[in-house]
Every structure is written in structure tokens, then in C-alpha cells.
Amino acid sequence: MKLKDQFRFIRQNMKKNRMRVFMTILASAMSVAFLIVLASVAFGLHDTVIKDTIESPEVTQIEVAGKDTGNGNAESLTNQNITEIEALDGVNAVTRAKQIRQETRYVTDGYEINTQTVQSHFPSMENAGIELGEGSFPETKDEVAVGYHFALNLLKDDVADEDIEYGEDGHLIPEQRFSGEIIGQTFDLEFKRMEDGEEIAETVPVTVTGVLEKPGREWAWDQKVYITDEKLAELEAITGTSKAMLTDPSEAGEDIGYDTATVYADDLEAVKSVMTSLEEEGYYVYSIVSEMGQINTLFNIAKAGLIFIGTIAILIASIGIFNTMTMAVTERAPDIGIMKAIGASPKVIKRIFLLESTYIGLVGAVIGIAVSYVISIGVNLALPMILETAFDEELPAGLQFSSIPFTLVLIAVVICLAVTMLSGLRPAKRATEIDVLKAMRREI
Amino acid sequence: MIEINQLSHQFVLGKKGQQSRLDVLKNISLHVAEGEIVSIVGRSGSGKSTLLNLISGFIRPTEGEIIILDEKVSEFTEEEFAEFRLKNMGFIFQSFQLIPSMTAYENIELPLILKGMSEQARKQMTLDMLKTVGLENFKDHYPSELSGGQQQRVSIARALVLEPPLILADEPTGSLDSETEADLLAFIKKLNKERGITFVIITHDDEVAKIGDRTIEIADGELVRSGVFV
């Protein structure tokens, strides 16, 4: 018997009891829609989180905290390490910094600020694609760049400590802070050195050539001053200590490593291979991508859980299919008997009933998928509006509550088909066991 | 065509644990030649219907063997018997056994569908068969819209459509009036002559039995007479 004819049979049979078949399809459709919509929330939120991470500039960055010395201890990165890392495939640039080991003070005409000083490798910053908010990267020894919040905290020197006021943004009020053009401004960099147990004040000139961009995070605060390698060398020469440490040169140890180093991979795909290479070399690394792995695991667990709950709904609907098919077999027993008598093989009878239950499941799944998409679109449109109205809070841009990827549709269809086929199996087997003579209600 | 050797059959009666066995057929041996019309007669409960059920493969014998067209069908699996029936056997039932939700055309087409024939070939063969039984104008009628005689002709058309070499008929005239009965018997005779189809007819009606080349009488499960009816 051809498949086409089997389907014709199925349609004819289904027409005999339209209401019952319709209700069964409805139950299947509702269960599939329930599964998809439920799981789509996990898919939607996962997509939002991943998209947010992938779109952030930090996604290609790998922080290198140090290198394993072989005995479980870590040592900070040296220039040799940096050269090794830069030679790795997929590495675009390695920015690195050394922090001055004492508090520094910057003074200009009538203004002053106490802040940290950091030596930065500006060429690698440029290579990494880091852009300044204003001005240009320092090139000569006396040139420096300052953090975005530097000027906002550059205090007038005639304001007494007890009169200092801060605005709502946490920075100095406009009346007490520098309001001129920071680019081109020359400062005295005041620091100290130790000689025979006494602190001696030193001053070197610096000129601001650039201001860094505002930090990405709302809460981040950057009022540091970034100096060149040459400037650090000058400070070290004056203090006689590594990183201008405020210690007697005779007592100071050698500390030449970088405090921070960040590897910029060429792209997202390269991050993993670069990280693997670095880890193999014994570097301690961290990347937001490793966090993504944990996020993925968490969301995948959530997705599996929700799909499992949805499957229970499909299992409940399958009871309806089982009932419908059992009724169908009972009602059609005389017809089945006649068909068997004239030569229909048990295999064909079984296949017809299995196909019928699968057909019901498939039609239900298709309707369920269509309904799920409508619900998903509706939820994505309506829920942000409702939440914004209810909580009077703006939701993050690009937030997606519900997302139905093709894989979810595929999972739902496979589960639905498997469950409906299983529920049709027993009735189909019963159909093949129908006794010809009993079915025809008489013996020939 | 049909070779039956020492065939016996028992029915198991009663509830489980309190079962008894009833001998319905006892040691029957017979032979039906190709192109023959054989009538099997006997009283109600004699076992003639059981014999036909065994030949049809609807039930399995307790003992003995049945050989049809050189195939030992008594050893067939259900699947094999279904295929054999479709290919080699046609059935005419007393109560026609048409599928009520199918038209005359669809009922006749059913064996062709089961055989997996193309729609075009099916159409031609079904229409030819409708013509043969004189029901070309009733092709879209459902069984409930046909007379008893017309329904039996649809049933015969369904039995003949695959041109099987053997037709098993159970009281084929049981639900028909005498005029229609005569027409049907003449038609069976004609098919036997023109197409050489072998008929095994179960009946308790002597007039019907007379169309057979040979008559076999069964009483209490035993073959009591086999020969030309006089």
C-alpha cells in the first residue's frame, strides 16, 4: 500500500469524527505552544545576556595577572613575557602598566590634585584600538594622558579642606574645580624620595596631551595620570628605586614587573585559542569569555528544565491522543476486520494507525509553533511596556524576553512526534490484533 | 488447487481453568481441482464454516495441513497469509462485508490500493469491474444506498478485481431473493467457465449447491459424502 493512499485513508478516517480529532489536535497544539513559550523565555534572556557580552568591547580582552614560576607562586610580567605574548597568533596588542609606588600630587596655576600615577605603554594602547576622549597619546617624556575624571577633581588650592563640596555626581562642585582647557596644561608632578631615612620632595614637569574616554561602567572612576616609559625611568632614577618606591634605595628590592597586562585578541574567535596558549605557557588569565561559559551552562540548565516541564504538558496531551486512537480502533474494528480479510497485512494496519497518531501530533505541533511565535512577539512587545509602567523604570535596550530559535522548534517537534507516536503505538498494535471473524461479527 | 490432509480442529470453550475442548473438524482430507466449483453443504454447526475459515487462514488448524497452489498455507505466518490472500483469494460473504463509509467504487478499489497499484491502473480496473457486475451507474453510491443484490455484486466485484484464481463464498445468496439468487448463481457459473476461477461455496441450500461440479457434505465435523450432487 502506497504512503499516499495511507494518508488518504487517514484523512478519511479523521473526517469521521472531526470534533474528537479537533480537540485532540487542540490539546497537542496547546502543549507544544506551552513548551515553546516556556523555554523561549530562557532562550530570550540568554540571547540578551550573550549579545550584551559579545557587543561589549571587553569581549576580546584577556587579563593576564601573572605567570606561574613553577612552584605555585606567580610573578608579574616582564618585558620578555610581553614580547612572548605579542608573538602569539591572534594577539593584536598587549597593553601593560606599572603603578608608581607612592602617592603623587599634581599642581598647576592655582589647582592641585592627589592621585595615582601609572606608567602606560601608549603605542600598544593605540594598537589595541583604545581611543582618547580628547587630545592625543603622549609621545615625549614629559607628556602625559589623564583619566576622564581628572579635571573634575582638580581642586582650587585656595579652598580649605573643610569647605570642599561634592556634587551629586560625586565630583567637586563646578565652583571649586578646574574649568579651563586641560589639554596643553602643564603640571608639576610632586613626589618624594628617601635619603638617609628622610623624605625629600622632588618635582618634575608634565604636560597633558590627552584625556582618556569615560570608563564604560557607570560606577568606574578614573582620575589617574598616565606617564610614558621614559618618565617612569626618570622618576626611578631620581628615587633610586623600582617604580619610584618610597624607600631607601639601599633597602629597596627589585620590582620590574608590570602590575597589569591586558591582551587584546584579534577577534572573539581568537580569544579562546590565545587563552589556551597563554594557559599552556603558565600565565594566569581571565577573560569575560570564560564567564560566558558559566553563563551558557546556567542558561542551558534552565532551558533543559523548562523543556522538561513543557514535555510534561505534551505527555498529558498524549493521553488524549491515546484515548482518541483507542476509540478509533474500537469504532473501526469492523472495517479493519474486512481489510484484514481481503488481504491487508498487520504491518499496513499498524502503520496506518501510527501515521494517524503522528499526523495528529504533527498538525498540533505546527499549530502550536505558529501560536508560540505570535505569543512570543506579543510578549516582547507588551511586557517591556507593562514592566516600565508598573515599576516606572526603563529597561535595558535590546532586552528580549522571549526568543524562539530553530533548535527550540526542532526540539519541540521531535518531543511531540516521539510522544504522539508512542501514544499511538498501543492502539495501533491492538488494531493488528483484531480478530477478523469477531470484527465482522460473524463467521464465514 | 486445494489439498487438505487429515485436518482436525478443536475449539477451546469455557473460562480459564475450567476449559473444555470441542472437536469441530475430525480428520478431514479433500482435494479441490483447479477450475472446479465445489459446494460444501451441511447443517448448522456441522463444521463447514470452520473448514472455510481454516482454508481462508482466519483461524489455524489444530492438526493436519492445508496446501493451496502448492503452498503449505497452514504453516504461514499472519503476514504471509495476508499477502497470499490478497494475491490468490477472493471472498464473497453472506452479509457482503462492505465498508459502509466507502462508495461502491472505493470498496472495489480497496484490494488494488492494498496491492499498491497506481491510481490510473486502479481507476481503469475498478471501472471495468463495475461494468462487469452492471453497476457502472452506482459507483458513487454508498452500501446503504444499494439493494441487497447490488451490494452482493459490489462484494463480488471486490473479490474479482485482482483476478484471483480462487474464490471462497459463504452463503453467497443467503441475503438475496430468489430472482437475484438465480442471477448471481448464473454469474458465478459464467465466471467459472470464462475465467476458470475455482469456487468453494458454503451453503445449506440444495439449489445453490447444485451449481457445484462436486458437493462435499460435512456432518458433525466429519466428511460424509463427496461427489456429484443428484
Side-chain angles (χ1 to χ4, degrees):
Chain A
M1 193 173 180
K2 287 181 175 167
L3 197 67
K4 192 178 140 195
D5 292 316
Q6 288 177 20
F7 272 109
R8 209 185 78 188
F9 253 81
I10 291 163
R11 279 196 297 274
Q12 270 181 354
N13 290 336
M14 284 166 78
K15 275 181 195 165
K16 284 182 199 165
N17 207 324
R18 284 181 193 180
M19 182 51 84
R20 193 169 63 211
V21 170
F22 170 74
M23 295 308 277
T24 315
I25 289 176
L26 189 67
S28 306
M30 281 170 70
S31 63
V32 169
F34 178 73
L35 184 152
I36 296 178
V37 170
L38 199 66
S40 78
V41 177
F43 277 91
L45 293 177
H46 190 189
D47 282 357
T48 306
V49 171
I50 292 292
K51 201 174 151 200
D52 196 39
T53 312
I54 286 174
E55 282 178 0
S56 84
E58 288 150 25
V59 77
T60 56
Q61 296 175 20
I62 303 163
E63 307 266 342
V64 185
K67 190 177 183 183
D68 189 357
T69 52
N71 53 11
N73 295 327
E75 64 180 21
S76 50
L77 266 53
T78 60
N79 278 328
Q80 195 194 336
N81 296 142
I82 299 290
T83 315
E84 275 172 20
I85 296 171
E86 279 175 335
L88 290 173
D89 278 345
V91 173
N92 176 25
V94 184
T95 62
R96 59 271 195 185
K98 289 178 186 171
Q99 194 167 327
I100 302 301
R101 294 283 195 264
Q102 62 170 286
E103 195 177 50
T104 47
R105 181 178 159 90
Y106 291 83
V107 181
T108 188
D109 307 328
Y111 294 92
E112 60 183 28
I113 184 171
N114 290 331
T115 189
Q116 290 174 340
T117 302
V118 175
Q119 170 267 321
S120 276
H121 189 253
F122 296 108
S124 64
M125 285 172 81
E126 273 189 279
N127 287 343
I130 297 170
E131 287 178 2
L132 292 178
E134 224 181 308
S136 59
F137 281 108
E139 284 171 0
T140 61
K141 188 185 77 175
D142 291 342
E143 290 180 347
V144 296
V146 294
Y148 178 83
H149 300 107
F150 179 84
L152 298 172
N153 292 288
L154 194 54
L155 178 70
K156 271 185 181 171
D157 59 6
D158 56 2
V159 180
D161 284 355
E162 57 274 21
D163 296 332
I164 297 173
E165 281 185 54
Y166 297 96
E168 276 184 11
D169 58 358
H171 304 296
L172 291 170
I173 57 168
E175 297 77 35
Q176 295 181 353
R177 73 187 184 208
F178 181 78
S179 55
E181 177 56 49
I182 197 79
I183 304 283
Q185 192 72 31
T186 300
F187 288 85
D188 283 334
L189 161 54
E190 295 180 4
F191 63 104
K192 291 169 187 156
R193 68 181 171 87
M194 292 289 280
E195 192 179 301
D196 302 328
E198 280 185 32
E199 290 182 3
I200 298 162
E202 293 285 350
T203 304
V204 290
V206 291
T207 304
V208 177
T209 62
V211 179
L212 268 69
E213 278 197 319
K214 191 177 179 182
R217 311 275 179 222
E218 276 299 313
W219 41 264
W221 190 320
D222 182 14
Q223 62 177 43
K224 295 188 195 101
V225 176
Y226 300 87
I227 60 171
T228 58
D229 291 3
E230 295 78 18
K231 197 73 191 170
L232 175 68
E234 184 189 354
L235 300 184
E236 285 177 336
I238 295 169
T239 56
T241 56
S242 301
K243 297 178 187 173
M245 200 182 292
L246 191 55
T247 328
D248 198 286
S250 58
E251 294 169 12
E254 197 178 50
D255 180 7
I256 52 163
Y258 288 98
D259 297 310
T260 61
T262 306
V263 177
Y264 285 75
D266 287 335
D267 47 42
L268 182 60
E269 282 70 40
V271 173
K272 210 159 189 183
S273 66
V274 171
M275 274 187 81
T276 312
S277 307
L278 289 171
E279 278 168 345
E280 280 170 3
E281 295 290 326
Y283 290 103
Y284 293 110
V285 291
Y286 164 79
S287 157
I288 203 162
V289 174
S290 22
E291 243 171 54
M292 269 165 69
Q294 290 173 350
I295 291 169
N296 284 341
T297 310
L298 271 176
F299 272 101
N300 286 339
I301 291 168
K303 284 175 196 172
L306 293 176
I307 288 171
F308 176 72
I309 295 168
T311 307
I312 293 171
I314 293 181
L315 282 171
I316 294 166
S318 78
I319 298 170
I321 295 178
F322 177 82
N323 192 34
T324 299
M325 296 313 297
T326 306
M327 294 284 283
V329 171
T330 310
E331 280 174 4
R332 281 180 235 153
D335 295 0
I336 296 165
I338 295 168
M339 284 176 70
K340 282 180 84 173
I342 61 174
S345 74
K347 259 189 212 164
V348 168
I349 305 272
K350 189 176 180 180
R351 207 182 309 144
I352 288 173
F353 280 92
L354 267 183
L355 272 175
E356 187 169 332
S357 63
T358 311
Y359 190 76
I360 289 173
L362 192 68
V363 173
V366 170
I367 296 170
I369 291 162
V371 170
S372 308
Y373 272 106
V374 172
I375 293 175
S376 176
I377 293 165
V379 162
N380 282 334
L381 286 174
L383 212 57
M385 284 193 272
I386 294 168
L387 289 180
E388 276 175 27
T389 316
F391 299 107
D392 199 24
E393 206 170 281
E394 202 175 318
L395 293 165
L399 182 66
Q400 205 178 3
F401 283 100
S402 168
S403 161
I404 306 175
F406 182 66
T407 43
L408 178 56
V409 172
L410 205 66
I411 290 168
V413 171
V414 168
I415 291 175
C416 185
L417 285 186
V419 169
T420 50
M421 273 177 82
L422 279 175
S423 59
L425 211 57
R426 179 76 195 93
K429 193 166 178 284
R430 237 191 90 201
T432 64
E433 288 165 356
I434 281 175
D435 186 277
V436 175
L437 300 176
K438 277 185 189 164
M440 295 197 297
R441 292 202 189 93
R442 58 187 294 282
E443 295 194 345
I444 66 164
Chain B
M1 171 66 73
I2 304 174
E3 189 74 47
I4 294 174
N5 298 320
Q6 294 171 328
L7 186 74
S8 297
H9 192 69
Q10 291 179 326
F11 279 149
V12 179
L13 306 171
K15 285 181 184 173
K16 216 174 179 181
Q18 304 168 336
Q19 288 165 336
S20 60
R21 290 180 177 273
L22 177 70
D23 289 320
V24 195
L25 289 177
K26 299 165 198 162
N27 210 23
I28 293 210
S29 294
L30 62 87
H31 171 83
V32 177
E34 205 173 321
E36 223 184 350
I37 299 181
V38 172
S39 304
I40 298 177
V41 294
R43 289 184 174 189
S44 292
S46 61
K48 60 184 191 300
S49 292
T50 305
L51 179 61
L52 203 69
N53 288 342
L54 287 164
I55 297 171
S56 311
F58 298 154
I59 50 174
R60 295 311 171 94
T62 314
E63 268 178 57
E65 62 175 19
I66 304 167
I67 299 164
I68 304 173
L69 292 164
D70 299 326
E71 302 246 30
K72 208 175 195 178
V73 296
S74 48
E75 288 179 1
F76 273 0
T77 62
E78 203 184 342
E79 204 74 46
E80 286 168 340
F81 222 133
E83 201 181 320
F84 186 82
R85 270 201 297 270
L86 185 63
K87 198 175 160 194
N88 301 302
M89 291 176 174
F91 294 90
I92 303 170
F93 304 97
Q94 182 182 358
S95 51
F96 325 127
Q97 300 294 356
L98 300 175
I99 294 181
S101 58
M102 290 182 177
T103 61
Y105 179 95
E106 288 167 340
N107 267 291
I108 297 168
E109 191 192 20
L110 191 56
L112 305 174
I113 292 175
L114 291 173
K115 200 149 188 224
M117 294 176 83
S118 74
E119 206 170 339
Q120 205 177 352
R122 283 193 329 238
K123 193 175 177 185
Q124 191 57 48
M125 290 172 84
T126 310
L127 290 174
D128 283 352
M129 200 41 71
L130 273 162
K131 210 171 175 185
T132 307
V133 295
L135 287 175
E136 60 266 49
N137 296 328
F138 295 88
K139 71 182 181 73
D140 295 325
H141 287 229
Y142 287 94
S144 59
E145 296 162 356
L146 298 170
S147 70
Q150 287 170 328
Q151 285 187 58
Q152 194 57 299
R153 276 193 273 166
V154 173
S155 162
I156 292 170
R158 186 181 62 188
L160 288 173
V161 72
L162 277 171
E163 298 183 357
L166 172 66
I167 288 186
L168 304 172
D170 164 49
E171 306 276 9
T173 59
S175 305
L176 307 176
D177 57 53
S178 54
E179 200 179 325
T180 319
E181 178 184 306
D183 284 351
L184 180 67
L185 293 176
F187 187 59
I188 288 175
K189 202 79 189 164
K190 190 178 156 203
L191 286 171
N192 173 255
K193 280 244 158 56
E194 289 176 1
R195 302 193 185 192
I197 298 171
T198 308
F199 280 87
V200 175
I201 302 168
I202 296 274
T203 184
H204 61 269
D205 185 337
D206 287 351
E207 285 305 310
V208 177
K210 272 181 188 170
I211 72 154
D213 302 319
R214 201 151 53 91
T215 302
I216 292 167
E217 190 181 343
I218 292 178
D220 294 331
E222 286 179 280
L223 200 148
V224 292
R225 189 161 58 102
S226 175
V228 180
F229 206 89
V230 247

